[in-house]
Amino acid sequence: MSSRYEIRLSGSGGQGLILLGIILGETASIYENKNAVQSQSYGPEARGGMSKSDVIISDEEIDYPKAYNVDFLLALTQQSFDRYTREVKKGGIVLYDSTLVHSPREGDYRLIGLPLNDTAIKDIGKSMVINIVSLGAIVKISNIVTIENTEKALLKRVPKGTEELNKKAFYAGVNLAK
Amino acid sequence: MADIRFIQGNEACALGAIYAGCRFFAGYPITPSSEIAEMLSEELPLVDGAFIQMEDEIAAMAAVIGGSLAGKKSMTATSGPGMSLKLENLGYACITEIPCVIVNVQRGGPSTGLPTSPAQADIMQARWGTHGDHPIIAVCPSSVSEMFTETVRAFNLAEMFRTPVIVLSDEIIGHMREKIVIPEEGEIPIVNRKKPKVSPEEYKPFKGEEDYVPPMAAFGEGYRYHVTGLSHNEEGFPIQSGELVHQMNVRMHNKIYKNLDKILKNEVYMCDDAEVIIFAIGGSARSSKGAIRHLREEGIKAGLFRPLTIWPFPEDELRRVCSKAKNVLVVEMNLGQIVFEVERVLGCTGVRVDGLFDSSGEPFTPLSVANRVKEIIKR
């Protein structure tokens, strides 16, 4: 049985999905000695437009670097929810933002709606940390990497001076998913 | 302690260049290769190297030739539209036998095509893009680690054979992030170009030695010589048509084709008992490995032949590996290019060659490759 675990992070450009994927990949590959691959696809525009970032985590060698049988989908827009839920495997998890995704369609997956964006705005004061709030929720729900190791990778990756803010956002996400 | 990083293929390429001894980069940024230039603009000054962003790709390639003639290992990086512009001076580097490395992180084409999506439609361009009967070496990495090691190998081959070497990557490999253990100093041998052992008066800059490769003096070392894109004699001065021109072209051909054992490199994966062998490079090879994983689980004997050197083409090894197979499937992100080389090589061996082609800018999924394999073995 393959240990391959596929995470797809989807939404719109500017939501920080690539950074979110990098932190997950770094946690797994550097702090947990697993294999990880992160890739992304986006249009030529810098903001807006569809954006997705895939993270594959495995104990074995990872051949194909993209998600195609998704274990965990994060959808931060209605458009990305509609487009990518069909690639989620049976029994997989779909985490969506309960405000930004207004009509979540049921399927052969576990559907979890959380106010990720509202939490970023109300608790942290910046919608731009929606990616880090999501990171906390993903780690808590999936258990694919530990919260402690993710915190280490997160604090090493974010710009100096923003560590406390990001830590707060991360644990807001963890608590949201409890 | 081991230096373990989680970085992009393009970043690994930049680090590999520094490791190989590259101390000059001239380029013009273009998606999806820009991270190579970006990283080298930061790293090169730290090792007494130089980085120049030129006014365009034509000038960048010219600057690389100049940098190498001055004795520095030199490199540029680009993608399709920029590669088209570099071709003129690539030909100049071929005939003047200038060691240098050109990275092409392939994206969708033709023209500006799909800037952020992968393709493998520059395979034949790498071989024949610049005009004339020139030899060329092109290497194809398939992982972040290989973006490092193949860039080092590209520099080594360039130095060994006084020739431009293309690192033919693609957006999948250039942009993905993966774990890499950075090799320690000395772990991978580094090759430096042969220098003349004779006095400046006796030096013939284009006279091949036993391995057909002429020693190369750096400008500024006291060896004065002439460099021209015209067909030239051993001293470097233009000559007209005739036997000497033919000899020059043959020697340049031989320095690559008589040294294949030092240049070719392949990964042969699960081919011993394989009835179907997939031929793929770069990003497509990863999709193909995923497909083989699925096919083997279903009891279908599939394997992978993956050239890390695509030019010169690995004729003998491909023929040997495929000798017992019934089918070969060529998987490439274009409308069918390298498949014709495979057909040429396997044409009269009785192996049936098919292709799986796509130019959508979306990588093949392992399932699409596996399905195509099932289709061809059913017939």
Side-chain angles (χ1 to χ4, degrees):
Chain A
M1 189 58 199
S2 166
S3 66
R4 184 181 170 105
Y5 192 84
E6 300 190 352
I7 303 167
R8 171 158 290 171
L9 311 160
S10 66
S12 71
Q15 285 178 321
L17 295 166
I18 294 174
L19 178 62
L20 168 49
I22 294 172
I23 295 168
L24 277 171
E26 273 183 346
T27 308
S29 62
I30 296 179
Y31 295 90
E32 305 207 345
N33 203 28
K34 294 175 181 166
N35 288 314
V37 176
Q38 181 271 341
S39 66
Q40 61 247 313
S41 83
Y42 48 86
E45 60 277 69
R47 270 176 294 278
M50 290 265 274
S51 173
K52 78 169 196 264
S53 169
D54 288 348
V55 183
I56 317 293
I57 297 172
S58 178
D59 293 327
E60 294 149 43
E61 187 196 340
I62 297 167
D63 39 55
Y64 187 60
K66 309 263 175 185
Y68 65 106
N69 200 13
V70 178
D71 292 275
F72 195 111
L73 172 70
L74 172 74
L76 295 183
T77 60
Q78 183 69 49
Q79 199 188 9
S80 60
F81 184 99
D82 294 340
R83 178 151 170 193
Y84 296 122
T85 40
R86 62 181 99 119
E87 285 169 52
V88 176
K89 67 155 76 156
K90 209 174 164 185
I93 297 167
V94 176
L95 170 64
Y96 66 96
D97 185 281
S98 48
T99 330
L100 299 174
V101 177
H102 39 83
S103 52
R105 195 182 51 243
E106 300 276 334
D108 277 343
Y109 37 75
R110 195 177 140 208
L111 206 49
I112 304 170
L114 293 174
L116 301 162
N117 194 45
D118 287 352
T119 303
I121 295 170
K122 283 180 198 146
D123 293 11
I124 318 298
K126 284 176 194 294
S127 73
M128 69 183 283
V129 293
I130 186 173
N131 57 343
I132 307 301
V133 176
S134 303
L135 175 68
I138 291 168
V139 171
K140 178 69 190 164
I141 294 166
S142 70
N143 281 317
I144 189 68
V145 285
T146 69
I147 290 170
E148 296 71 35
N149 285 331
T150 312
E151 185 190 321
K152 280 186 216 162
L154 168 71
L155 295 181
K156 210 166 167 210
R157 181 51 85 160
V158 296
K160 276 211 160 52
T162 67
E163 290 92 342
E164 278 314 304
L165 177 88
N166 279 295
K167 200 171 155 182
K168 202 175 153 193
F170 176 63
Y171 281 101
V174 172
N175 290 328
L176 209 52
K178 266 182 185 164
Chain B
M1 214 181 86
D3 183 359
I4 303 172
R5 303 192 200 182
F6 187 72
I7 54 172
Q8 281 191 320
N10 284 342
E11 294 171 303
C13 172
L15 294 176
I18 301 266
Y19 186 97
C22 172
R23 291 298 177 267
F24 180 63
F25 181 99
Y28 189 84
I30 180 170
T31 303
S33 77
S34 299
E35 294 84 4
I36 299 172
E38 186 183 356
M39 190 160 198
L40 284 171
S41 72
E42 291 169 359
E43 296 287 330
L44 276 172
L46 304 177
V47 291
D48 289 331
F51 171 94
I52 309 182
Q53 179 169 324
M54 299 297 287
E55 67 268 33
D56 61 27
E57 287 89 346
I58 301 172
M61 189 63 213
V64 163
I65 291 168
S68 185
L69 265 171
K72 297 288 180 193
K73 292 187 184 178
S74 303
M75 173 168 117
T76 189
T78 190
S79 188
M83 193 66 197
S84 292
L85 293 173
K86 288 184 200 284
L87 289 174
E88 179 185 352
N89 280 327
L90 176 64
Y92 188 88
C94 286
I95 198 171
T96 53
E97 301 180 68
I98 306 294
C100 55
V101 172
I102 303 103
V103 186
N104 178 1
V105 186
Q106 295 171 91
R107 67 190 222 184
S111 189
T112 36
L114 295 170
T116 57
S117 300
Q120 297 175 311
D122 306 345
I123 303 183
M124 299 314 286
Q125 184 203 41
R127 178 66 192 90
W128 293 115
T130 196
H131 61 275
D133 250 330
H134 62 286
I136 197 91
I137 299 174
V139 301
C140 300
S142 197
S143 67
V144 170
S145 287
E146 281 185 1
M147 279 295 270
F148 187 103
T149 53
E150 286 303 294
T151 300
V152 175
R153 198 166 71 92
F155 271 102
N156 283 347
L157 291 170
E159 293 287 314
M160 205 179 293
F161 298 110
R162 260 193 85 166
T163 182
V165 177
I166 296 170
V167 177
L168 193 61
S169 186
D170 57 59
E171 190 274 343
I172 298 175
I173 307 302
H175 271 169
M176 64 182 241
R177 287 180 178 80
E178 199 168 30
K179 179 158 75 174
I180 172 176
V181 182
I182 306 290
E184 284 177 31
E185 210 184 313
E187 203 175 318
I188 308 175
I190 300 301
V191 178
N192 295 306
R193 65 193 68 170
K194 292 191 287 190
K195 296 271 182 174
K197 293 187 188 77
V198 296
S199 68
E201 293 73 28
E202 294 166 293
Y203 178 52
K204 291 185 176 177
F206 298 99
K207 183 178 166 54
E209 295 189 326
E210 269 179 24
D211 60 355
Y212 307 95
V213 184
M216 187 174 171
F219 271 29
E221 286 179 336
Y223 290 78
R224 288 177 58 199
Y225 60 96
H226 193 249
V227 181
T228 174
L230 290 167
S231 297
H232 43 263
N233 58 17
E234 290 174 342
E235 287 79 22
F237 291 105
I239 45 174
Q240 270 302 327
S241 58
E243 186 58 20
L244 281 178
V245 172
H246 181 66
Q247 275 173 17
M248 180 197 77
N249 284 324
V250 170
R251 180 185 59 73
M252 289 198 305
H253 182 87
N254 284 346
K255 76 176 176 181
I256 304 300
Y257 284 87
K258 300 268 187 197
N259 287 308
L260 288 177
D261 56 325
K262 297 187 183 75
I263 298 171
L264 297 182
K265 186 179 176 187
N266 306 291
E267 183 193 3
V268 178
Y269 174 72
M270 300 188 106
C271 285
D272 285 349
D273 64 342
E275 290 174 14
V276 190
I277 293 176
I278 301 174
F279 181 107
I281 58 170
S284 298
R286 296 183 73 116
S287 311
S288 302
K289 266 197 179 174
I292 290 164
R293 179 162 45 84
H294 289 298
L295 291 164
R296 289 266 168 184
E297 277 169 18
E298 293 178 39
I300 298 168
K301 289 174 183 167
L304 174 72
F305 184 84
R306 177 173 75 91
L308 281 86
T309 301
I310 189 71
W311 301 118
F313 196 70
E315 300 181 6
D316 293 344
E317 184 67 356
L318 178 65
R319 214 175 278 124
R320 189 190 67 76
V321 170
C322 296
S323 61
K324 286 183 219 143
K326 291 186 188 130
N327 294 85
V328 168
L329 176 67
V330 180
V331 178
E332 46 184 333
M333 283 185 278
N334 56 46
L335 295 179
Q337 293 192 11
I338 204 69
V339 66
F340 295 113
E341 280 295 291
V342 176
E343 277 178 357
R344 178 178 67 78
V345 170
L346 298 177
C348 23
T349 62
V351 182
R352 179 159 179 166
V353 179
D354 287 279
L356 176 60
F357 313 128
D358 186 272
S359 71
S360 65
E362 291 289 330
F364 292 104
T365 64
L367 293 176
S368 66
V369 178
N371 286 339
R372 181 81 179 117
V373 166
K374 287 182 202 167
E375 247 174 57
I376 64 170
I377 58 173
K378 240 186 227 160
R379 270 191 323 240

